Every structure is written in structure tokens, then in C-alpha cells.
Amino acid sequence: MVTPMPKRLIALMIVLLMSLTSIASAWSTKEHILLTRLAVMRLLAEEQTPPAMKDWLRRITPGPLDEPSLHQWYMDSRQGVFPRGEDGAPFWAVVPDLKALTSWPQETVAPWPVGERLLHFIDLEYFDPAQQTPSSKPQYKLGGAAKPELSQIPRDPADGRYKQAGMLPFRIEQVYGKLVRSIRAGRLTDAPGQFPRDEHAAHWAGFLSHYIADNTQPQHSSVDYKSRVFFPPGAHVPNVHAQMEYILVDDERADFPELREQFWQLLQQKLTSVNDEATMDDLWVGSVQTSLRAYDALELVGAAAAAAWKRAEGSDNPSTPWVIDTTAFYNYRMTQNGVSVSLAEKKAELQALAVIRIAEHLRQAWDEAMKAGPIEPSTIPDASDQNTDQEKAG
Ligand SMILES: [Zn+2]
């Protein structure tokens, strides 16, 4: 006789399956791993990085840390949703998405009234002063017309709009604090006999890397996270979010070797040329500024998707569904501020920005922790957060 499955397990499986079909948790698993590794490589290459920090970074980043091996991994590997084969910071850099997939709908992350999923984005239209009717959901407007000013975004987590808009800038600030405290406590990495077992700097460095990377994904700054407004009303809108993320680098059915190689070269170039214009003196403000910058790319993403949307190759049958031609999508060009830019170039710019900002945050956390000198592990103020999470989830 088959034992019936507990109700909670069935419910969890349903939640998981529903989420797997509509993942919208930001850059793909493979990209979060990539951006974390590139940030670590950047810090290792910098002369000014303190030797003790370099030692820590090597310990928390097993696996490829040189350009040729990482390039090969980027070109050839298939990662999927789960971070197979990864450990240390690259593994933890994916866990926030896995938590978003597996949390109960009513589960919140202390101290906020929202769940994990809401910590990965901030939909800026909620703060557009022209769209403040409480009964209707704000919209993306063509030309970026619904983009608010920095000064219109309140630094008050109790503002009711954050329950829908998402709380990414608050989460970045919080996780940064957790990383600083873990380093100060000397809890640098996972170690046998160290409890709580998962409360350490490799964990929080990975988490920080995740949220900072999400901060640069344009669709994570807008209610229109699938670029729907660029398609005719009533059209079966393709998954533009997936095109922007995993399809180029980690698709189950296609590798796009030429496009992938082209993107790798663009990313390497952008890593040496992109300027991070957002502040590092105030991480919340810096995060909002980064979302505002990413927001400006939405027009290009949407126009590229609409232009690359066509009936599947070789089919004249009117009932054949329309799909996005990924190569046409990434090669689409638009003139912005007098400069012609392709979507591939824009994505490379934003991912390079993510790498630069991850490295900046890690370095700043290390320096801040070292300024104060070591403290006793028992005084970590928020180590119990994880226990609370576990109890709720388990
Ligand atoms: Zn995410």
C-alpha cells in the first residue's frame, strides 16, 4: 500500500512546480554564478585588495577563477535552475532564488511584511507621482515616462507601496550588514562545529552578490517585467524575461555558440570601461540609483523583443505560435542619447556594472569589518534570523 503524501509536502510541490514555470527571480542561476566569480576575480587581480581578504575570497570560491577556464565553462556548461557542482559564495549566490521558489506564499522575511520573492526587485512605477490612485496598479509607460526621481522614493520600509513594489534596496543594505558582522565575528566560512552552521561570511557574500546583480536587471525595476506593453493588446506575449536572462547562456535546447562568444567578448570589454555612477557612501541610495539606471534600458529590451518576434522559421501556418529569434533580439540596435547601442552591448554593460558593484560592496564590507577589530561570535545580533526562517520553512 502506498502511504499518502503529507498535505504540506503536496502543497510545497505545487508551489515549486508553479514557480518553475514562471521564474522571474532575475539573472539566471548560471549568470549569478558567473557574476560572483568575475567579482572575486576582479578583487584578486587588484593590488590594493588586502592579502587576508584575497585568502578569504579564494577559500569561499572553489572552482574556476581564471579567464580561460571561466570562458570555457561559460561556453560549454549547462547549469539549469539548481546550482549543481557549486559551493561557497557561487552556491550561496543562487540560494535567494531557490528560497523564492520554495517559500510558502505567506512566509515573510524579518523584519519586513513581504516574502523572499519581493526582495529581488523594486518596481519604480509605484513611486511615479502621476500614478497614485490606490485602486489601480501602476503601469510602465513608453519612453520611460513613469520613471520617478530618486527623491520621490521614500526610505521608509513601512510605506505601504513596498508590499507590491518590492524591497530590493532595503535587502541589499540588510545583507551587507550581515556580511560585515560575520566577518567581524571571524565567521569567514562554513566550518564543522560552528553553529548556527549556515551563519557565515561565505553565505552573506553570496547573498549580497545575488541581490546586487538583480539590481542591474532592467525588468527588476518595473511592473512590466515581461515587457508586455511592447506587444499588441491580446497577443500571446512571449517570455521576454527568459530571453533577457538564461536563454542566451543556459538554454536546455540551444547553445547559441556565436552569440554567446560575442557576448563574452563584450562583457570583457565592458568590465574595463563601465563606470559605476551610483554612490557607495549610502548603499540604499546607491541601490535605488542603480535601479534607475537599469530602468533606462527597458525601452531597448522591449523594442528588441517586439522586433525579434516572428513566426517560427519555415512555417506559413497561421496557427504556428510566434517566438522570439534570440539572435535578432540581441543584435537589435537603438539610438539612445545619440549613440547606437545593441541589446547585447546593453546587457554586457549592465552585467559588468553588477560585477563592479559586487566587488565594491565586498571590499567595503571587509574594510568596515576590519576597522572595528574582531568581536566574539556569541554577540552576532541577528544569527537567530536563520533559525526563524528554518522553523517556518520546515
Ligand atoms: Zn533574484
Side-chain angles (χ1 to χ4, degrees):
M1 198 180 93
V2 182
T3 319
M5 244 193 260
K7 272 190 190 147
R8 275 170 69 89
L9 184 59
I10 295 171
L12 181 63
M13 284 174 69
I14 291 169
V15 170
L16 185 64
L17 286 171
M18 280 168 58
S19 326
L20 282 172
T21 54
S22 64
I23 293 170
S25 309
W27 302 121
S28 60
T29 291
K30 186 171 174 182
E31 289 170 305
H32 278 295
I33 294 167
L34 170 74
L35 300 174
T36 305
R37 288 193 181 283
L38 286 169
V40 167
M41 285 161 62
R42 188 174 181 89
L43 287 162
L44 291 175
E46 271 169 22
E47 251 177 62
Q48 309 94 300
T49 308
M53 185 184 186
K54 287 189 178 177
D55 179 52
W56 168 64
L57 289 170
R58 284 192 195 96
R59 281 165 57 203
I60 66 166
T61 322
L65 279 178
D66 59 88
E67 197 274 339
S69 337
L70 196 62
H71 184 186
Q72 193 180 2
W73 169 84
Y74 176 78
M75 292 301 296
D76 301 340
S77 74
R78 165 78 181 129
Q79 194 69 47
V81 175
F82 304 100
R84 52 182 154 192
E86 294 295 336
D87 202 356
F91 166 80
W92 287 105
V94 179
V95 173
D97 276 347
L98 302 182
K99 287 196 126 192
L101 283 175
T102 54
S103 324
W104 295 101
Q106 70 278 18
E107 193 177 330
T108 58
V109 178
W112 300 304
V114 302
E116 175 63 41
R117 199 181 63 82
L118 273 283
L119 302 177
H120 297 237
F121 56 84
I122 176 169
D123 292 345
L124 295 172
E125 295 91 352
Y126 277 93
F127 307 100
D128 171 17
Q131 300 192 70
Q132 296 301 325
T133 21
S135 53
S136 64
K137 195 182 171 180
Q139 311 273 316
Y140 174 81
K141 290 182 182 162
L142 291 175
K147 181 184 170 184
E149 302 284 334
L150 174 63
S151 62
Q152 289 163 335
I153 300 163
R155 193 176 194 154
D156 175 11
D159 188 305
R161 289 171 288 184
Y162 284 116
K163 284 190 187 174
Q164 276 92 45
M167 302 190 76
L168 175 61
F170 295 96
R171 182 59 163 169
I172 286 179
E173 210 179 20
Q174 182 199 40
V175 167
Y176 174 87
K178 287 172 185 280
L179 174 60
V180 172
R181 288 192 287 277
S182 298
I183 299 170
R184 281 185 68 192
R187 302 171 66 91
L188 292 180
T189 186
D190 180 25
Q194 175 180 271
F195 299 104
R197 187 67 194 250
D198 283 340
E199 185 61 39
H200 50 74
H203 174 160
W204 294 117
F207 267 48
L208 189 56
S209 169
H210 183 96
Y211 297 113
I212 293 170
D214 280 5
N215 208 180
T216 67
Q217 210 293 26
Q219 292 165 317
H220 279 239
S221 65
S222 174
V223 288
D224 193 14
Y225 67 94
K226 286 187 173 173
S227 307
R228 281 178 194 278
V229 74
F230 295 88
F231 293 85
H236 183 73
V237 175
N239 193 344
V240 183
H241 206 90
Q243 290 289 339
M244 190 60 189
E245 298 180 348
Y246 72 85
I247 288 181
L248 169 61
V249 302
D250 198 26
D251 190 28
E252 174 75 3
R253 291 182 180 80
D255 273 347
F256 302 103
E258 277 167 35
L259 192 59
R260 210 182 274 185
E261 176 63 33
Q262 179 202 350
F263 184 80
W264 180 263
Q265 298 306 332
L266 283 171
L267 181 58
Q268 300 308 308
Q269 281 166 26
K270 295 289 181 186
L271 282 168
T272 62
S273 63
V274 165
N275 278 327
D276 178 14
E277 288 144 15
T279 183
M280 283 298 296
D281 294 337
D282 181 324
L283 301 186
W284 186 89
V285 172
S287 166
V288 176
Q289 288 170 329
T290 302
S291 289
L292 288 164
R293 174 173 177 172
Y295 195 87
D296 291 338
L298 287 166
E299 196 77 8
L300 174 54
V301 175
W309 190 50
K310 43 192 88 159
R311 189 161 290 138
E313 197 84 27
S315 172
D316 293 329
N317 184 344
S319 64
T320 307
W322 285 39
V323 293
I324 287 186
D325 173 339
T326 301
T327 304
F329 177 60
Y330 278 102
N331 286 326
Y332 180 85
R333 304 191 79 88
M334 181 184 260
T335 301
Q336 287 190 315
N337 303 320
V339 183
S340 165
V341 57
S342 72
L343 183 67
E345 287 162 5
K346 183 51 77 176
K347 178 171 175 173
E349 175 201 313
L350 291 168
Q351 291 206 326
L353 180 65
V355 171
I356 293 164
R357 283 188 70 75
I358 294 164
E360 286 172 337
H361 280 72
L362 294 180
R363 176 65 202 276
Q364 189 162 307
W366 180 270
D367 289 351
E368 194 174 325
M370 289 301 145
K371 242 189 285 169
I375 57 168
E376 288 301 311
S378 58
T379 62
I380 301 181
D382 57 358
S384 60
D385 285 9
Q386 286 306 300
N387 290 345
T388 320
D389 268 16
Q390 291 277 326
E391 280 154 22
K392 277 195 219 143

